[in-house]
Amino acid sequence: MSARRFDIFVGKEYLKFNAAHFIAYPGFRERLHGHNYHVTVRIEGELGPDGYVLDFGMVKRATKRVCDSLDEFTILPAQSDCLDIREQGGSVEVVWRDDGSRFVLPRGDVVLLPIVHSSAEELSRWVAGRIREELIGDGARRWSRMEVSVSETHGQAATYTDAEPVG
Ligand code: ZN
């Protein structure tokens, strides 16, 4: 690692979302339940002429928008290998193929994410991708590496590392 590299860390109390989910894979399904998820972000890069890697404010705003997009929703994994998820009128129907268990939820209460399981691991990868898009959309300058952690509960988190440089 170059001696000129720094990283910045954002882990504010308000960078959180409350959401319902359940893990499902063939042969296993959790009951629907919720977590108070917290998100932390670490970004590594070189120091700019203003003395910043990236403006903390920009990172906090981008992360907050992504958290808000999940807050008080039920998270469903659109690419599940064991759930049939169908939109019908204003509802979403979810059927677990193993035993035909069926949920029907209002479409507006659900976020369908392009993931296979709504685990903290897969959520951290999706959240990292969204924060990346938000930062690029806000004109953030270059950085070399981003780590995003999603915790379901205190002291229990999954981290995704996006090592593709930006800029
Ligand atoms: Zn859970």
Side-chain angles (χ1 to χ4, degrees):
M1 183 185 292
S2 159
R4 292 176 297 161
R5 291 243 169 114
F6 289 83
D7 66 38
I8 59 169
F9 176 79
V10 166
K12 292 290 186 183
E13 174 63 26
Y14 64 82
L15 296 176
K16 66 182 181 188
F17 56 96
N18 305 328
H21 87 138
F22 60 90
I23 300 289
Y25 49 83
F28 175 79
R29 178 177 71 78
E30 289 184 323
R31 289 195 298 276
L32 183 67
H33 65 279
H35 296 288
N36 297 317
Y37 292 93
H38 275 89
V39 176
T40 64
V41 182
R42 187 181 299 279
I43 295 175
E44 181 190 280
E46 293 183 12
L47 214 57
D50 51 9
Y52 295 156
V53 172
L54 276 183
D55 179 355
F56 282 119
M58 183 180 272
V59 178
K60 289 186 287 188
R61 287 190 296 274
T63 306
K64 178 71 163 57
R65 288 198 296 269
V66 177
C67 287
D68 288 349
S69 74
L70 299 171
D71 192 37
E72 298 185 352
F73 286 95
T74 296
I75 294 171
L76 293 175
Q79 298 172 351
S80 172
D81 57 358
C82 65
L83 300 171
D84 290 319
I85 300 174
R86 277 189 294 270
E87 294 188 44
Q88 291 182 322
S91 299
V92 173
E93 182 192 60
V94 183
V95 176
W96 188 42
R97 281 179 215 138
D98 276 50
D99 69 355
S101 302
R102 179 170 166 270
F103 302 83
V104 179
L105 294 157
R107 178 66 186 90
D109 287 18
V110 164
V111 285
L112 283 162
L113 299 185
I115 57 180
V116 182
H117 314 94
S118 56
S119 60
E121 289 85 340
E122 293 192 39
L123 288 174
S124 67
R125 181 177 56 194
W126 183 84
V127 168
R130 288 287 301 114
I131 292 172
R132 180 186 173 97
E133 289 172 358
E134 292 287 326
L135 285 172
I136 291 171
D138 285 350
R141 62 190 179 209
R142 53 194 264 169
W143 72 84
S144 52
R145 180 187 176 92
M146 174 191 293
E147 290 178 15
V148 171
S149 292
V150 172
S151 73
E152 292 183 339
T153 181
H154 184 67
Q156 181 175 315
T159 301
Y160 178 75
T161 301
D162 174 358
E164 189 183 333
V166 168

